[in-house]
Amino acid sequence: AQSVAQPEDQVNVAEGNPLTVKCTYSVSGNPYLFWYVQYPNRGLQFLLKYITGDNLVKGSYGFEAEFNKSQTSFHLKKPSALVSDSALYFCAVRDIGYGNNRLAFGKGNQVVVIP
Amino acid sequence: NAGVTQTPKFQVLKTGQSMTLQCAQDMNHEYMSWYRQDPGMGLRLIHYSVGAGITDQGEVPNGYNVSRSTTEDFPLRLLSAAPSQTSVYFCASSSRDRGSYEQYFGPGTRLTVT
């Protein structure tokens, strides 16, 4: 089965510093990978995805992610963190099956940006 | 476009009661799904549907039923609520167009079973 792992529970970063949220994946075949963000008491919002093509994917709110096939990683990055980036971040991988878009999620990373 | 809507936002049930969580989308998406979110466990798939009249089980289906009579609606039924079903429930939808795949989530229903 497809799966992703987010090894850190919480990431603390000072405002203005680079932010990295880690994700590794395990799939059979080519991976379809996603990042979502959840603000308090809200639903999940799509940030970006990797389907094919360039290994560096740009998404919403200044976020980007780097797909690394040899390391089976898809880390989320932002060059300069804002206090408003404090949220819960989920990595997900699309399950492989005819006619469905099932996603398998990681457990999430709490990001705290310190003013 | 309202996107994905869910009702109610909050619900408290007693053990053994039944209820239906409503989900609707106005994007004409073929694919809809229900997840539950529990602390430290991410989101786990309960049931999903690839189109009207077609549903299938996800990772944690026990205690839940679904049906999909229209493209727009995908209700989740709890037949006999248990404290273990205390959670936040999210509905999501996505297109089956090649290159899409990203899911759009509703705001969630926070359910407490006492």
Side-chain angles (χ1 to χ4, degrees):
Chain A
Q2 323 288 74
S3 66
V4 292
Q6 295 179 248
E8 299 162 320
D9 288 332
Q10 182 162 314
V11 175
N12 295 328
V13 61
E15 186 176 24
N17 281 4
L19 169 63
T20 298
V21 189
K22 296 179 180 178
C23 174
T24 58
Y25 64 88
S26 174
V27 302
S28 55
N30 294 323
Y32 293 3
L33 296 159
F34 304 83
W35 276 102
Y36 287 83
V37 61
Q38 184 181 32
Y39 298 101
N41 300 312
R42 303 286 293 277
L44 276 71
Q45 296 179 30
F46 169 73
L47 279 178
L48 50 79
K49 66 183 177 187
Y50 173 83
I51 305 297
T52 187
D54 290 341
N55 289 342
L56 186 63
V57 180
K58 294 191 183 297
S60 306
Y61 312 123
F63 283 94
E64 58 189 27
E66 186 170 10
F67 172 70
N68 188 316
K69 188 172 184 177
S70 62
Q71 297 186 4
T72 62
S73 66
F74 188 55
H75 300 331
L76 182 70
K77 301 180 181 183
K78 186 171 184 180
S80 178
L82 302 172
V83 172
S84 57
D85 293 327
S86 298
L88 191 56
Y89 290 81
F90 290 97
C91 183
V93 63
R94 178 176 180 250
D95 201 354
I96 302 298
Y98 174 73
N100 74 70
N101 279 347
R102 292 172 56 145
L103 290 180
F105 284 86
K107 62 179 173 57
N109 281 126
Q110 185 68 49
V111 169
V112 178
V113 181
I114 303 162
Chain B
N1 256 1
V4 180
T5 57
Q6 292 183 238
T7 56
K9 284 189 169 51
F10 302 94
Q11 183 70 50
V12 178
L13 291 178
K14 295 186 187 306
T15 297
Q17 287 184 317
S18 62
M19 78 159 296
T20 298
L21 280 63
Q22 301 292 343
C23 173
Q25 54 90 10
D26 62 359
M27 297 173 281
N28 203 30
H29 284 169
E30 298 88 350
Y31 184 82
M32 297 185 74
S33 54
W34 277 101
Y35 296 88
R36 59 176 290 172
Q37 182 181 22
D38 302 291
M41 302 186 73
L43 278 79
R44 293 181 292 169
L45 182 65
I46 304 172
H47 285 285
Y48 67 97
S49 169
V50 299
I54 306 170
T55 64
D56 205 349
Q57 296 181 351
E59 184 184 352
V60 288
N62 291 342
Y64 308 96
N65 274 358
V66 292
S67 60
R68 182 105 180 261
S69 55
T70 67
T71 299
E72 294 77 22
D73 300 299
F74 190 44
L76 178 71
R77 281 182 288 277
L78 281 71
L79 303 177
S80 178
S84 61
Q85 294 178 305
T86 293
S87 187
V88 182
Y89 292 83
F90 290 101
C91 179
S93 73
S94 66
S95 170
R96 287 177 65 180
D97 291 344
R98 288 184 65 83
S100 288
Y101 310 123
E102 62 265 29
Q103 297 196 15
Y104 296 84
F105 283 80
T109 295
R110 187 173 295 272
L111 174 69
T112 302
V113 183
T114 60

